[in-house]
Amino acid sequence: MDFFLQLALNGVVVGSIYALVALGFVIIYKSSGVLNFAQGEFLLLGAYVFWALVEGRAPWPYAVALTVLFSILLGLAMERLILRPMIGEPIISVIMVTLGLSSMLRAIVLGAWGTDTRPYPALFASEPVFLGPLPVSRGYLFSMFVAALLLASFTLFFRYSRVGIAMRATAFSQEVAQSMGISVRRIFAVSWSIAAVVSALGGILLGELRGGADGSLAILGLKTLPVVILGGLDSIQGAIVGGLIVGVLENLAGGYLDPIMGGGVKEVAPFAVLVLILMIKPYGLFGKVKIERV
Amino acid sequence: MLRLKNVEVIYDDVILVLKGLSLEVPSGRIVALLGPNGAGKSTTLKAISGLLLSEEGEVTDGAIEFEGQRIDRLLPEEIVRRGVFQVMEGRRVFEDLTVDENITMGGFIRSDRAGLKRDRDLCFDYFPQLKTLRGKLAGYLSGGEQQMLAISRALMARPRCILLDEPSLGLSPKLVQEIFAIIRRINEQEKTTILLVEQNARQALAIAHFAYLMENGRVVLEGETEKVKNNEDVKEFYLGGAGEKRNYKAVKSYRRRKRWLS
């Protein structure tokens, strides 16, 4: 039983970080219809920038703030350099560009910092906190708390703030949004910046959990794809639930099935469930079904 | 005063839709823009509001002025900030936003909280029905309710000029009358200038002060509403009340006159 709880808890922690990164993916998809395949690289870049700053003797809260700032600028640059020239082109072309961008960013990161794991400093005391009988590392608790806080604030942002509503309006129709005086360019810039920021924060949290940054973080970033498809591409709740499901499944499969099957189930389990769910709910768990008036 | 001078619009670099269109909408008036399908009425509105850009359309010649300043070449959001707001054809409410959120989006360009709250109440005053639907998704409203919502969004922006594209589209005759009565009320009470594009010529002429008749991308007839109403051709082709029974000969004469008009 303890083993099960331990696995489930690990799953929830990792899953909440997946959910955070998936949120970025959903925001971009919602506002512009683009699938951003460079999401994993945003995460990678954030993790390395944070490491470089800490390595350069910045105290870690400052390093986090600077990484966030860097990510905002990255998002703005994306809008200016990639999206704006692509206005009026088919969405699929923009998606292809993000695919190219992901290779480019990964190459830049590996070129600049190499392939070795770059260790993070230990921010938390190593003795665990006990949740009942269950020992939990402080880093895990902290990560989960931060992820939950961010997810909650973005959910509120989208539901109640004017800019949040404007982003949903733009997602529905750019033309109508423009006719209200909403600047579609600015909405895109905001959504790409948010996506870059949540990915970078996800990268820092994952780096912290794993003890350092390395190239495999980008692959973890790509895990957001099953997460968002599971939850429904355009749903924030979906990203949260999807993230938790994938995180927990992965860990349970890893703990129980890997020893029997000889490994590898951990990576496949979320996709198996994904296929099952899509057979029953083709729009994902929370995906928007188009409203049709008859 | 909204003024179009010799405006030419080309879609996709080749299709000439407006061929030197000139018209004037004096402040505080309702001006109707009538004409058959494909005459370029919606294009005219989109040229004014700047929404042509996202459809690969472009104003290639002429000028559009609002209160003395050129507004062609501006981005749509800048034109809204100058006080020109378009209510698009087919209502186009944000279907997966609630009624309240749709209304909030109408006031997106403003930040005066008190004024926004007052205008939200004003919308519910014009359209009491919407008040009971506040939390409902706009996609589930009926056609008439959606049209009311679309007009409410326009009110929230406090524009000096509203461009209304086919508000009667797909509505029952009774609702059309209601909506048109409210358009007139908005014009009188809020002093909002209105440029009204309509297929329903009878309704439009009932509330407009001035009317333009467009065919094939040009204005073919203009004048005070009374004068336009009494024009023989308008009576026959747009108001459908020339009186005598149609026969084959009359149909031929219709064709002949059509050609003459364009």
Side-chain angles (χ1 to χ4, degrees):
Chain A
M1 191 59 193
D2 274 4
F3 185 54
F4 173 80
L5 285 178
Q6 193 71 55
L7 287 174
L9 187 75
N10 285 358
V12 169
V13 172
V14 177
S16 61
I17 300 174
Y18 288 163
L20 189 60
V21 181
L23 177 72
F25 199 93
V26 169
I27 288 170
I28 289 181
Y29 180 78
K30 262 177 90 87
S31 67
S32 57
V34 172
L35 297 171
N36 175 25
F37 283 103
Q39 194 75 18
E41 278 66 27
F42 284 4
L43 185 149
L44 186 68
L45 203 55
Y48 271 98
V49 167
F50 175 75
W51 172 81
L53 287 164
V54 170
E55 199 60 12
R57 309 228 174 285
W60 71 268
Y62 290 98
V64 170
L66 285 172
T67 310
V68 167
L69 187 69
F70 169 83
S71 301
I72 292 174
L73 294 176
L74 179 69
L76 294 180
M78 290 295 123
E79 191 274 333
R80 189 69 195 82
L81 300 176
I82 294 175
L83 281 174
R84 210 178 286 181
M86 297 295 284
I87 283 175
E89 304 291 332
I91 291 284
I92 187 74
S93 315
V94 186
I95 295 174
M96 287 302 138
V97 170
T98 69
L99 211 52
L101 186 72
S102 82
S103 307
M104 213 176 75
L105 286 177
R106 193 180 314 182
I108 290 174
V109 169
L110 294 182
W113 288 295
T115 50
D116 296 339
T117 300
R118 302 292 179 163
Y120 274 24
L123 298 180
F124 301 97
S126 56
E127 76 268 19
V129 184
F130 280 88
L131 284 182
L134 209 62
V136 188
S137 95
R138 285 162 195 268
Y140 270 55
L141 268 186
F142 177 76
S143 295
M144 198 164 70
F145 176 71
V146 171
L149 190 73
L150 286 167
L151 286 170
S153 32
F154 277 112
T155 307
L156 294 177
F157 169 76
F158 276 103
R159 184 150 315 156
Y160 298 112
S161 82
R162 266 153 48 102
V163 177
I165 301 174
M167 288 172 85
R168 285 188 283 143
T170 308
F172 178 76
S173 162
Q174 295 177 17
E175 196 185 18
V176 186
Q178 279 183 318
S179 82
M180 306 282 119
I182 296 168
S183 164
V184 172
R185 285 177 183 178
R186 209 164 296 162
I187 294 292
F188 284 177
V190 172
S191 50
W192 280 74
S193 292
I194 291 178
V197 168
V198 291
S199 306
L201 291 173
I204 296 173
L205 291 175
L206 280 175
E208 187 56 39
L209 292 185
R210 293 153 54 105
D214 63 51
S216 68
L217 281 177
I219 296 160
L220 281 181
L222 209 62
K223 277 252 173 67
T224 52
L225 205 58
V227 169
V228 290
I229 293 175
L230 189 65
L233 271 171
D234 47 16
S235 163
I236 292 170
Q237 290 156 290
I240 298 171
V241 175
L244 293 176
I245 292 180
V246 169
V248 171
L249 273 178
E250 201 178 69
N251 273 280
L252 290 180
Y256 287 112
L257 297 179
D258 269 2
I260 305 170
M261 314 279 279
V265 188
K266 188 176 182 187
E267 276 70 36
V268 182
F271 289 95
V273 177
L274 173 67
V275 171
L276 272 180
I277 289 186
L278 287 187
M279 278 159 75
I280 304 161
K281 300 205 65 165
Y283 290 97
L285 288 175
F286 294 90
K288 186 172 60 197
V289 182
K290 252 187 111 183
I291 295 175
E292 285 178 45
R293 293 178 60 239
V294 188
Chain B
M1 170 88 93
L2 175 69
R3 185 184 278 140
L4 280 74
K5 284 190 227 159
N6 275 319
V7 172
E8 191 178 274
V9 167
I10 295 183
Y11 275 111
D12 266 335
D13 295 328
V14 283
I15 308 161
L16 183 61
V17 185
L18 297 189
K19 307 161 181 169
L21 178 93
S22 297
L23 61 83
E24 282 182 5
V25 187
S27 296
R29 312 253 93 180
I30 301 179
V31 173
L33 185 56
L34 310 174
N37 284 327
K41 304 182 301 288
S42 294
T43 301
T44 307
L45 294 194
K46 284 181 179 167
I48 300 170
S49 63
L51 292 176
L52 269 186
L53 291 173
S54 50
E55 305 188 344
E56 307 290 310
E58 202 188 344
V59 177
T60 47
D61 199 11
I64 303 174
E65 284 174 6
F66 183 62
E67 300 188 339
Q69 285 177 316
R70 289 275 299 253
I71 57 167
D72 47 314
R73 308 264 172 273
L74 291 183
L75 290 171
E77 57 262 28
E78 293 165 338
I79 296 173
V80 176
R81 281 175 200 277
R82 299 270 176 111
V84 181
F85 193 102
Q86 178 172 5
V87 177
M88 293 168 70
E89 183 177 0
R91 311 180 284 264
R92 306 293 296 272
V93 295
F94 297 115
E95 291 179 3
D96 41 14
L97 267 54
T98 64
V99 168
D100 250 340
E101 287 169 339
N102 266 279
I103 293 178
T104 306
M105 285 300 99
F108 185 80
I109 53 164
R110 296 168 58 193
S111 49
D112 54 323
R113 275 166 181 274
L116 281 169
K117 199 183 166 306
R118 207 167 42 239
D119 283 345
R120 189 180 293 263
D121 292 339
L122 183 76
C123 292
F124 293 140
D125 182 42
Y126 277 113
F127 304 107
Q129 218 168 328
L130 288 183
K131 193 163 189 174
T132 57
L133 300 166
R134 291 178 77 154
K136 226 177 150 187
L137 287 186
Y140 292 121
L141 301 189
S142 73
E145 290 159 351
Q146 288 189 348
Q147 188 63 58
M148 295 174 190
L149 183 55
I151 295 176
S152 298
R153 281 195 310 205
L155 284 172
M156 288 300 288
R158 274 266 152 220
R160 275 172 291 176
C161 176
I162 298 181
L163 313 173
L164 268 174
D165 199 349
E166 295 255 4
S168 75
L169 189 77
L171 302 186
S172 71
K174 184 167 169 287
L175 261 174
V176 171
Q177 281 199 339
E178 254 181 73
I179 297 273
F180 273 75
I182 284 172
I183 294 170
R184 175 187 268 169
R185 242 179 87 196
I186 289 171
N187 169 255
E188 283 167 3
Q189 293 175 2
E190 320 301 326
K191 307 279 174 259
T192 313
T193 313
I194 289 171
L195 176 55
L196 173 65
V197 158
E198 256 306 335
Q199 298 263 5
N200 188 336
R202 188 180 298 276
Q203 282 292 345
L205 289 175
I207 62 166
H209 303 106
F210 204 86
Y212 286 87
L213 185 61
M214 265 183 94
E215 270 179 30
N216 262 320
R218 286 194 190 88
V219 170
V220 291
L221 187 75
E222 61 176 276
E224 300 286 334
T225 318
E226 283 311 308
K227 188 183 126 199
V228 172
K229 263 189 204 165
N230 292 324
N231 179 294
E232 286 304 315
D233 289 321
V234 173
K235 263 193 202 164
E236 188 173 349
F237 304 140
Y238 290 92
L239 302 174
E244 80 275 25
K245 266 202 156 157
R246 292 270 173 277
N247 56 26
Y248 184 62
K249 250 181 173 165
V251 173
K252 261 168 85 181
S253 103
Y254 172 78
R255 289 224 182 101
R256 196 192 63 235
R257 292 230 206 168
K258 263 312 239 201
R259 213 172 298 135
W260 171 81
L261 258 179
S262 57

